[in-house]
Amino acid sequence: MKYILVTGGVISGIGKGIIASSIGTILKSCGLRVTAIKIDPYINIDAGTFSPYEHGEVFVLDDGGEVDLDLGNYERFLDISLYKDNNITTGKIYQHVITKERRGDYLGKTVQVVPHITDAIQEWVMNQATVPVDKDHQEPQICVIELGGTIGDIEGMAFIEAFRQFQFKAKRENFCNIHVSLVPQNLLTFTSLITLRSYNMKDYFMVLILYLSSYKPSLQVIFIHDVSSTYRVPILLEEQGIITYFKHRLNLPVDSKSTVQLLKWKRMADRYERLLQTCSIALVGKYTKLSDCYTSVFKALEHSALAINHKLNLMYIDSAELEPSIKTEDPVKYHKAWEKLCKAQGILVPGGFGLRGTEGKLHAITWARERRIPFLGVCLGMQLAVVEFARNCLNWKDANSTEFDPNTKNPVVIDMPEHNPGDMGGTMRLGKRKTVFTTSASTLRKLYENVDFVEERHRHRYEVNPQLIPQFEEKGLKFVGHDTDGQRMEIIELKDHPYFVGVQFHPEFSSRPMKPSPPYLGLMLAASGKLSTYIQNGCKLSPR
């Protein structure tokens, strides 16, 4: 097993995740099997209880793990499926060690950071590195490890010490450190290097993030300047000889020249930069002040736009600014929000939690339904589409979700008792689950290539009330996908509408650059006026 540790200097959020993903992509394109681990030094057990404004979106894995968004980058770049244990946190490590101490595994010894915590970190990494993540279920050959935060953070000290020890345990030919740093001023980068060396992490390779592309690479330094898209980053790394470096540094059985897979990646990056036609989508949500809150949604839309040779123009709209109360409080915000919505060729209402902004989302859904604008509702977005339909088409004016109004007389969305036990962390309906199509006439089924069922990832605590389904279907809102028991509603489609689709699952988590998510692809096709032609042609994309 070969280990590549990616650390960062100067500031957090510098781009370690993209560098780690790009390195993995390059090595996988050379025919090697690659896995990835993200280390987050915070004390939380996982990312499940974070506000999206803390660390961006919560990414959900097949096994239900609620993890850092960087694992989404790894999955998209490497086309792999990771597990919850591929995200290590300080909380998980301490919980693991304390559980062992309570069992008496340490035989009465004093449990300390060194050696017990540092040993646990190393054991976790070595065990998880061997877990297959590819479709062929073969053991990986290379593990790329990203250490969150920056060198010198007190939260990361135990992890740095663990890897200081680990570099000798693994031996030089099996361990490499990539240090990523911003270069606004050389002094800051030198300071981070001095700190790194002070921990006896001396044999490293540098990736410097530049505002300009005026520097020239040297033997163990690569420069990454601003690029039009993250798809270009693996190409920049490869052009500066990183394959040759890894070949000699880790004794890898690979050629130094570009591979067919990397050439495909380059063609995709080139095509992205040449796109001329634009498709405008309005994302109506409550966390719009930070784009990282909807990273996977953005990427799924971007993949879909690229698949049909369009450039994505994603307009973020704070749903609260669509509400009538804002018209009085701040008319400028109100009119700007509605101006964006009116310009949109398609409307997306993503997942979320809490009451704030829900009325604005309902207004956006009404706009899409009445004006026949392509619409996709995801998780809460689907639930609110049901609420909107109940209020305006079934005339149930007080229809609501029990999440927002526990005493509503028309609870069209209800909680699932088994997923609402009191504790918040890890108790939702999570992970990959099967959805069975109930009709061959479904538009979404056709987009999924007419399969009988799909398996997508979930993250929710509320569901559509199954007792009220007949009333909705009688008025044209069809529930075309159920769970395997036929009780939980998974997919809605509105009759006689170009594209009005809601899904209880999160298809964005499974989208890939070269294989876009069908619900998102359907939205993009409908918004660009190409959906009916695409379906008539057997759901085949034109050669790219």
Side-chain angles (χ1 to χ4, degrees):
M1 176 65 68
K2 310 289 185 180
Y3 300 91
I4 300 172
L5 174 66
V6 179
T7 56
V10 181
I11 59 172
S12 185
I14 184 60
K16 298 186 299 297
I18 296 298
I19 296 297
S21 301
S22 298
I23 288 169
T25 298
I26 291 168
L27 294 173
K28 186 171 182 178
S29 74
C30 293
L32 299 169
R33 296 186 298 278
V34 182
T35 188
I37 291 174
K38 171 67 188 296
I39 296 174
D40 288 300
Y42 47 65
I43 298 175
N44 304 64
I45 298 296
D46 59 29
T49 56
F50 280 138
S51 160
Y53 283 137
E54 288 289 310
H55 294 273
E57 75 171 4
V58 177
F59 191 81
V60 179
L61 303 172
D62 281 352
D63 66 356
E66 297 173 287
V67 297
D68 184 82
L69 60 80
D70 276 317
L71 275 81
N73 285 326
Y74 307 155
E75 288 203 343
R76 285 187 288 269
F77 271 67
L78 298 170
D79 192 19
I80 56 179
S81 294
L82 298 171
Y83 300 90
K84 63 178 70 174
D85 286 345
N86 286 83
N87 193 189
I88 303 174
T89 69
T90 296
K92 282 183 180 179
I93 294 295
Y94 272 77
Q95 185 183 57
H96 173 72
V97 170
I98 290 170
T99 298
K100 290 179 68 176
E101 185 273 333
R102 293 288 84 187
R103 283 201 310 257
D105 290 4
Y106 296 114
L107 300 177
K109 291 185 180 297
T110 302
V111 180
Q112 298 176 291
V113 173
V114 181
H116 302 101
I117 295 296
T118 53
D119 283 354
I121 292 167
Q122 294 173 63
E123 289 167 8
W124 194 305
V125 167
M126 288 189 291
N127 290 337
Q128 197 61 28
T130 63
V131 176
V133 293
D134 275 320
K135 294 180 178 67
D136 60 10
H137 301 295
Q138 293 189 45
E139 185 174 311
Q141 298 164 292
I142 294 180
C143 181
V144 180
I145 307 156
E146 179 192 349
L147 176 57
T150 59
I151 291 297
D153 290 347
I154 192 169
E155 293 91 345
M157 293 295 190
F159 294 100
I160 289 293
E161 172 58 23
F163 285 109
R164 185 198 67 77
Q165 299 172 20
F166 188 70
Q167 66 184 336
F168 303 112
K169 183 184 293 185
K171 299 185 179 177
R172 185 179 186 278
E173 64 271 19
N174 297 321
F175 182 87
C176 173
N177 181 199
I178 306 291
H179 189 62
V180 183
S181 185
L182 179 69
V183 193
Q185 294 179 340
N186 288 341
L187 178 61
L188 295 175
T189 292
F190 293 151
T191 301
S192 80
L193 290 176
I194 291 168
T195 306
L196 187 67
R197 292 174 67 86
S198 72
Y199 300 133
N200 205 24
M201 301 285 287
K202 296 181 178 179
D203 192 0
Y204 51 80
F205 186 92
M206 284 289 299
V207 176
L208 299 181
I209 310 295
L210 303 175
Y211 291 121
L212 301 171
S213 54
S214 57
Y215 287 75
K216 292 184 178 179
S218 62
L219 182 61
Q220 286 195 198
V221 180
I222 277 180
F223 297 98
I224 301 294
H225 54 78
D226 283 347
V227 290
S228 59
S229 77
T230 54
Y231 306 128
R232 183 62 63 188
V233 177
I235 310 305
L236 281 178
L237 293 173
E238 189 270 337
E239 288 174 349
Q240 295 183 61
I242 200 165
I243 295 178
T244 301
Y245 172 78
F246 283 132
K247 177 181 178 180
H248 297 298
R249 177 66 180 75
L250 297 175
N251 295 328
L252 298 179
V254 297
D255 293 328
S256 298
K257 59 183 181 181
S258 297
T259 64
V260 172
Q261 189 61 30
L262 207 55
L263 289 173
K264 286 182 181 178
W265 195 271
K266 184 177 186 300
R267 283 197 295 271
M268 180 177 67
D270 291 342
R271 193 161 56 84
Y272 180 88
E273 293 170 1
R274 291 196 301 265
L275 296 173
L276 298 176
Q277 290 180 286
T278 299
C279 188
S280 297
I281 303 294
L283 188 157
V284 182
K286 64 183 289 188
Y287 307 114
T288 54
K289 292 180 176 62
L290 179 65
S291 60
D292 277 358
C293 297
Y294 298 110
T295 295
S296 292
V297 170
F298 170 75
K299 289 298 180 183
L301 288 168
E302 188 179 62
H303 300 161
S304 299
L306 185 59
I308 63 170
N309 296 311
H310 278 61
K311 185 175 291 186
L312 172 65
N313 174 32
L314 184 58
M315 300 181 292
Y316 292 94
I317 301 176
D318 186 333
S319 57
E321 294 175 4
L322 297 172
E323 296 176 0
S325 59
I326 297 296
K327 188 175 182 180
T328 304
E329 296 171 16
D330 195 331
V332 174
K333 274 186 179 180
Y334 178 80
H335 288 295
K336 282 185 176 179
W338 274 99
E339 183 181 15
K340 284 183 182 179
L341 193 69
C342 292
K343 289 180 180 177
Q345 296 167 265
I347 295 172
L348 170 71
V349 177
F353 299 92
L355 177 62
R356 185 180 68 82
T358 53
E359 290 301 318
K361 294 174 186 177
L362 289 167
H363 285 302
I365 294 167
T366 301
W367 181 266
R369 181 180 56 79
E370 292 182 344
R371 285 160 180 78
R372 296 172 56 79
I373 297 169
F375 167 80
L376 176 62
V378 175
C379 195
L380 176 61
M382 169 185 149
Q383 295 171 6
L384 289 177
V386 173
V387 172
E388 189 278 335
F389 192 88
R391 290 183 182 181
N392 297 315
C393 298
L394 299 182
N395 205 32
W396 299 347
K397 295 305 180 184
D398 74 332
N400 215 330
S401 166
T402 56
E403 179 182 4
F404 311 128
D405 182 4
N407 300 315
T408 176
K409 293 178 182 178
N410 289 290
V412 296
V413 177
I414 57 176
D415 69 332
M416 299 178 287
E418 72 274 31
H419 295 287
N420 208 353
D423 288 345
M424 290 185 68
T427 56
M428 288 186 279
R429 186 170 180 249
L430 294 164
K432 187 166 74 172
R433 295 171 185 268
K434 185 180 291 187
T435 295
V436 180
F437 286 105
T438 60
T439 173
S440 60
S442 163
T443 297
L444 198 53
R445 181 173 186 170
K446 292 170 185 173
L447 290 167
Y448 274 105
E449 300 181 350
N450 283 310
V451 295
D452 293 330
F453 65 88
V454 294
E455 291 183 303
E456 295 279 11
R457 300 174 185 182
H458 293 67
R459 185 178 186 245
H460 65 111
R461 208 184 298 276
Y462 295 82
E463 63 171 335
V464 175
N465 189 339
Q467 296 181 356
L468 304 177
I469 302 309
Q471 291 96 313
F472 285 100
E473 295 206 319
E474 184 181 345
K475 291 291 186 177
L477 188 66
K478 304 296 183 181
F479 291 81
V480 300
H482 301 167
D483 72 345
T484 51
D485 295 327
Q487 293 301 306
R488 295 213 156 112
M489 303 300 111
E490 294 279 358
I491 304 171
I492 62 168
E493 293 181 9
L494 182 60
K495 187 179 178 182
D496 299 325
H497 191 286
Y499 190 80
F500 191 98
V501 172
V503 292
Q504 184 59 72
F505 46 82
H506 288 267
E508 63 269 19
F509 294 142
S510 302
S511 186
R512 302 289 183 262
M514 298 183 192
K515 191 177 180 182
S517 163
Y520 285 89
L521 179 61
L523 176 65
M524 196 62 61
L525 285 163
S528 60
K530 298 180 178 180
L531 180 59
S532 58
T533 302
Y534 175 77
I535 292 175
Q536 288 169 10
N537 291 338
C539 295
K540 302 295 181 185
L541 292 167
S542 58
R544 299 185 238 166

